[in-house]
Amino acid sequence: MRRKEEPGQWQNILAVAKELMPIKDQEASCLAEGIVITKLKQCLQNLRGRRNDLNHVIELGKREGKVATNQMNNWLASVDTNISVGMVICESEQNELNWDLSVIAAGLLGRLQERLSGQPSVFTVEALPPSVQEMPYSSIEQQPSRVEIFEEAMEYIKDSSVGVIGIWGLAGAGKTHLLTNINNAFCGDSLFHYVIFVTDSKEGSVGIPFSEGGDVKSRANIILDFLKTRKILILLDDVWNRINLEAVGIPYPLGRSKVVLTTRSKMVCGQMDVRKEINVACLPDDEAWQLFQDKVGQGTLSSSPRIEALAKELVEEMKGLPLALITDLHMENDVFRRLKFSYDSLRNNTLRQCLLTCSLWPEDKVIRTGDLIRCWIGLGLVDECDIHSSYRKAHSPIGELTAACLLDSCDTGFNSGYYIRC
């Protein structure tokens, strides 16, 4: 047998219900017919079914990037409240129903019927994009060198005196991976109104819908109107040439907003007015080996001493290049394609020929700058009116190739000169 409610609890229900639902005389007339509870139960059943159907429609809409309208949310909240009160009344035993409670039941019946006939006609609308779109990524916690770079970048981003930050390095060194970690670091953070990740900066798109046929200037104006009153972090990945930020609608000077870009060329940092540069070098030997172990699996490596020895040789051959370490045997389809693109993007054939002459030295050989310059002069790649002018000019292609991350400067510890490692 169901426990009777305490008188004080019923008085609370009655007080709230009377306040929310004033009863008209004509609504109470049906009490004499003794059918109010039956009708109330049927109306509750219909309203619950309608509510469940609409929740199902809203859930399907969420999968398409839509959200319930405010009007629909208010309707659902009102329905939930009225259903809760109706269930209390209907679950009461008949002998507990006094005149006050019966009058409220009649009034509630009218309210539920209004809800059934007055549901909103529009259920869902397109959802606004999130302030930060989280992206798939792998953690850098096991790579101290990358954690250090990440923390340095985050420090610059939070520095009010720094507007544009440039992350540059060899193709496949992990620049995009770092940029993705920076993007996700602001999920749930209120430092910026929006964090915008642009994977192809040449398109100049920041995810704002445009009408078909709009020209570049009109699109830029739409973006500018959206961004100028907001604090924005813009992440530009794989920039090859200078981008006119104003031309694509990014407010400049940036004010409180920030731009972080990645590029394979240090020269692009200068062209983009970068205030702080961060170089992403290849992984140290211990981190490279740990990354390879994580991807291959310790079970595979420990299955045979020979396999582990070969794996270490392979890791050494990859020179700490993360993309090469985590790619399968078909890595030339990705790694070598990226390196070839860097080579093809050199501004002229002379620079390409200068780079190719490095293959005349044995693999991993440290090439003395003077020897490389004499080779170029001898091959006619650098040809000025006198030897001194040729020597001076030869430092220009060395700088360009190094800035493009196709040559790597190194210090051998000797005092005899400057060395290049290809």
Side-chain angles (χ1 to χ4, degrees), residues 356-376:
L356 291 177
T357 58
C358 295
S359 64
L360 298 173
W361 278 264
E363 184 179 2
D364 295 331
K365 176 72 173 180
V366 174
I367 307 170
R368 195 165 184 263
T369 305
D371 294 341
L372 188 58
I373 290 175
R374 282 191 288 272
C375 177
W376 289 347

Side-chain angles (χ1 to χ4, degrees), residues 155-368:
E155 183 179 343
Y156 291 149
I157 290 171
K158 296 175 182 179
D159 186 341
S160 59
S161 66
V162 180
V164 184
I165 301 153
I167 300 175
W168 64 279
L170 184 67
K175 302 182 296 297
T176 298
H177 186 210
L178 278 167
L179 204 63
T180 302
N181 275 266
I182 291 172
N183 176 87
N184 291 351
F186 288 97
C187 290
D189 193 289
S190 59
L191 182 61
F192 296 97
H193 293 116
Y194 290 96
V195 177
I196 303 170
F197 194 111
V198 184
T199 55
D200 185 0
S201 58
K202 295 177 183 178
E203 294 179 358
S205 169
V206 292
I208 301 176
F210 300 108
S211 58
E212 293 184 5
D215 58 26
V216 173
K217 187 174 181 180
S218 64
R219 293 185 177 195
N221 288 335
I222 294 174
I223 298 174
L224 179 62
D225 288 341
F226 180 78
L227 298 183
K228 65 184 179 182
T229 59
R230 295 169 171 86
K231 187 178 180 182
I232 308 294
L233 173 62
I234 300 172
L235 307 176
L236 301 177
D237 189 33
D238 203 18
V239 179
W240 281 92
N241 299 291
R242 179 181 179 273
I243 298 173
N244 186 339
L245 297 178
E246 291 179 280
V248 295
I250 298 174
Y252 198 84
L254 294 169
R256 297 182 303 155
S257 296
K258 304 280 184 176
V259 172
V260 181
L261 64 90
T262 67
T263 179
R264 303 178 199 182
S265 174
K266 186 178 181 181
M267 289 185 292
V268 170
C269 292
Q271 296 169 356
M272 291 292 295
D273 297 327
V274 166
R275 291 293 176 263
K276 292 294 182 180
E277 296 179 6
I278 303 175
N279 176 235
V280 181
C282 293
L283 291 173
D285 292 344
D286 57 337
E287 293 181 26
W289 174 241
Q290 183 61 51
L291 177 61
F292 188 82
Q293 285 181 299
D294 292 341
K295 295 300 177 181
V296 174
Q298 189 58 45
T300 301
L301 294 173
S302 60
S303 61
S304 167
R306 179 59 178 161
I307 290 179
E308 184 170 348
L310 290 172
K312 289 183 176 180
E313 289 182 18
L314 179 60
V315 170
E316 184 178 355
E317 192 70 20
M318 295 300 101
K319 310 300 180 188
L321 196 64
L323 184 63
L325 290 165
I326 64 175
T327 311
D328 61 15
L329 295 177
H330 301 289
M331 66 183 180
E332 66 275 4
N333 294 332
D334 197 351
V335 181
F336 294 160
R337 176 181 56 81
R338 296 189 184 199
L339 293 174
K340 183 179 184 300
F341 191 65
S342 296
Y343 171 80
D344 291 339
S345 298
L346 292 172
R347 63 183 179 87
N348 56 42
N349 282 327
T350 300
L351 276 174
R352 298 185 189 96
Q353 291 297 319
C354 287
L355 177 64
L356 291 177
T357 58
C358 295
S359 64
L360 298 173
W361 278 264
E363 184 179 2
D364 295 331
K365 176 72 173 180
V366 174
I367 307 170
R368 195 165 184 263

